[in-house]
mmCIF file with all atom_site columns, all heavy atoms in Angstrom:
data_model
loop_
_atom_site.group_PDB
_atom_site.id
_atom_site.type_symbol
_atom_site.label_atom_id
_atom_site.label_alt_id
_atom_site.label_comp_id
_atom_site.label_asym_id
_atom_site.label_entity_id
_atom_site.label_seq_id
_atom_site.pdbx_PDB_ins_code
_atom_site.Cartn_x
_atom_site.Cartn_y
_atom_site.Cartn_z
_atom_site.occupancy
_atom_site.B_iso_or_equiv
_atom_site.pdbx_formal_charge
_atom_site.auth_seq_id
_atom_site.auth_comp_id
_atom_site.auth_asym_id
_atom_site.auth_atom_id
_atom_site.pdbx_PDB_model_num
ATOM 1  N N   . THR W 1 405 ? 13.761 -29.103 4.060  1.00 86.00 ? 631 THR W N   1
ATOM 2  C CA  . THR W 1 405 ? 14.355 -30.379 4.490  1.00 86.00 ? 631 THR W CA  1
ATOM 3  C C   . THR W 1 405 ? 13.553 -31.020 5.614  1.00 86.00 ? 631 THR W C   1
ATOM 4  O O   . THR W 1 405 ? 13.305 -32.237 5.606  1.00 86.00 ? 631 THR W O   1
ATOM 5  C CB  . THR W 1 405 ? 15.811 -30.163 4.951  1.00 86.00 ? 631 THR W CB  1
ATOM 6  O OG1 . THR W 1 405 ? 16.563 -29.598 3.867  1.00 86.00 ? 631 THR W OG1 1
ATOM 7  C CG2 . THR W 1 405 ? 16.437 -31.461 5.394  1.00 86.00 ? 631 THR W CG2 1
ATOM 8  N N   . TYR W 1 406 ? 13.137 -30.205 6.590  1.00 85.00 ? 632 TYR W N   1
ATOM 9  C CA  . TYR W 1 406 ? 12.477 -30.758 7.770  1.00 85.00 ? 632 TYR W CA  1
ATOM 10 C C   . TYR W 1 406 ? 10.969 -30.504 7.783  1.00 85.00 ? 632 TYR W C   1
ATOM 11 O O   . TYR W 1 406 ? 10.301 -30.839 8.768  1.00 85.00 ? 632 TYR W O   1
ATOM 12 C CB  . TYR W 1 406 ? 13.101 -30.176 9.042  1.00 85.00 ? 632 TYR W CB  1
ATOM 13 C CG  . TYR W 1 406 ? 14.567 -30.525 9.190  1.00 85.00 ? 632 TYR W CG  1
ATOM 14 C CD1 . TYR W 1 406 ? 15.554 -29.613 8.839  1.00 85.00 ? 632 TYR W CD1 1
ATOM 15 C CD2 . TYR W 1 406 ? 14.955 -31.784 9.649  1.00 85.00 ? 632 TYR W CD2 1
ATOM 16 C CE1 . TYR W 1 406 ? 16.901 -29.930 8.957  1.00 85.00 ? 632 TYR W CE1 1
ATOM 17 C CE2 . TYR W 1 406 ? 16.295 -32.116 9.776  1.00 85.00 ? 632 TYR W CE2 1
ATOM 18 C CZ  . TYR W 1 406 ? 17.263 -31.184 9.425  1.00 85.00 ? 632 TYR W CZ  1
ATOM 19 O OH  . TYR W 1 406 ? 18.600 -31.514 9.543  1.00 85.00 ? 632 TYR W OH  1
ATOM 20 N N   . ASP W 1 407 ? 10.437 -29.891 6.680  1.00 81.00 ? 633 ASP W N   1
ATOM 21 C CA  . ASP W 1 407 ? 9.002  -29.601 6.588  1.00 81.00 ? 633 ASP W CA  1
ATOM 22 C C   . ASP W 1 407 ? 8.517  -28.843 7.818  1.00 81.00 ? 633 ASP W C   1
ATOM 23 O O   . ASP W 1 407 ? 7.570  -29.237 8.512  1.00 81.00 ? 633 ASP W O   1
ATOM 24 C CB  . ASP W 1 407 ? 8.198  -30.891 6.401  1.00 81.00 ? 633 ASP W CB  1
ATOM 25 C CG  . ASP W 1 407 ? 6.741  -30.597 6.043  1.00 81.00 ? 633 ASP W CG  1
ATOM 26 O OD1 . ASP W 1 407 ? 6.463  -29.490 5.546  1.00 81.00 ? 633 ASP W OD1 1
ATOM 27 O OD2 . ASP W 1 407 ? 5.882  -31.461 6.286  1.00 81.00 ? 633 ASP W OD2 1
ATOM 28 N N   . ILE W 1 408 ? 9.203  -27.733 8.113  1.00 84.00 ? 634 ILE W N   1
ATOM 29 C CA  . ILE W 1 408 ? 8.897  -26.916 9.286  1.00 84.00 ? 634 ILE W CA  1
ATOM 30 C C   . ILE W 1 408 ? 8.270  -25.610 8.830  1.00 84.00 ? 634 ILE W C   1
ATOM 31 O O   . ILE W 1 408 ? 8.771  -24.950 7.909  1.00 84.00 ? 634 ILE W O   1
ATOM 32 C CB  . ILE W 1 408 ? 10.169 -26.631 10.097 1.00 84.00 ? 634 ILE W CB  1
ATOM 33 C CG1 . ILE W 1 408 ? 10.748 -27.945 10.620 1.00 84.00 ? 634 ILE W CG1 1
ATOM 34 C CG2 . ILE W 1 408 ? 9.871  -25.684 11.256 1.00 84.00 ? 634 ILE W CG2 1
ATOM 35 C CD1 . ILE W 1 408 ? 12.080 -27.774 11.318 1.00 84.00 ? 634 ILE W CD1 1
ATOM 36 N N   . GLY W 1 409 ? 7.182  -25.207 9.472  1.00 84.00 ? 635 GLY W N   1
ATOM 37 C CA  . GLY W 1 409 ? 6.488  -23.985 9.082  1.00 84.00 ? 635 GLY W CA  1
ATOM 38 C C   . GLY W 1 409 ? 6.935  -22.745 9.809  1.00 84.00 ? 635 GLY W C   1
ATOM 39 O O   . GLY W 1 409 ? 6.624  -21.626 9.384  1.00 84.00 ? 635 GLY W O   1
ATOM 40 N N   . ARG W 1 410 ? 7.678  -22.905 10.927 1.00 87.00 ? 636 ARG W N   1
ATOM 41 C CA  . ARG W 1 410 ? 8.132  -21.724 11.677 1.00 87.00 ? 636 ARG W CA  1
ATOM 42 C C   . ARG W 1 410 ? 9.446  -22.068 12.372 1.00 87.00 ? 636 ARG W C   1
ATOM 43 O O   . ARG W 1 410 ? 9.596  -23.176 12.908 1.00 87.00 ? 636 ARG W O   1
ATOM 44 C CB  . ARG W 1 410 ? 7.074  -21.251 12.670 1.00 87.00 ? 636 ARG W CB  1
ATOM 45 C CG  . ARG W 1 410 ? 6.582  -22.300 13.626 1.00 87.00 ? 636 ARG W CG  1
ATOM 46 C CD  . ARG W 1 410 ? 5.337  -21.873 14.373 1.00 87.00 ? 636 ARG W CD  1
ATOM 47 N NE  . ARG W 1 410 ? 4.259  -21.544 13.480 1.00 87.00 ? 636 ARG W NE  1
ATOM 48 C CZ  . ARG W 1 410 ? 3.471  -22.453 12.904 1.00 87.00 ? 636 ARG W CZ  1
ATOM 49 N NH1 . ARG W 1 410 ? 3.676  -23.740 13.129 1.00 87.00 ? 636 ARG W NH1 1
ATOM 50 N NH2 . ARG W 1 410 ? 2.499  -22.088 12.117 1.00 87.00 ? 636 ARG W NH2 1
ATOM 51 N N   . LEU W 1 411 ? 10.378 -21.116 12.330 1.00 92.00 ? 637 LEU W N   1
ATOM 52 C CA  . LEU W 1 411 ? 11.697 -21.336 12.916 1.00 92.00 ? 637 LEU W CA  1
ATOM 53 C C   . LEU W 1 411 ? 11.979 -20.264 13.966 1.00 92.00 ? 637 LEU W C   1
ATOM 54 O O   . LEU W 1 411 ? 12.015 -19.069 13.651 1.00 92.00 ? 637 LEU W O   1
ATOM 55 C CB  . LEU W 1 411 ? 12.778 -21.278 11.833 1.00 92.00 ? 637 LEU W CB  1
ATOM 56 C CG  . LEU W 1 411 ? 12.811 -22.448 10.844 1.00 92.00 ? 637 LEU W CG  1
ATOM 57 C CD1 . LEU W 1 411 ? 13.775 -22.144 9.705  1.00 92.00 ? 637 LEU W CD1 1
ATOM 58 C CD2 . LEU W 1 411 ? 13.219 -23.738 11.561 1.00 92.00 ? 637 LEU W CD2 1
#
Side-chain angles (χ1 to χ4, degrees):
T631 301
Y632 298 99
D633 191 22
I634 297 174
R636 54 193 58 80
L637 289 171

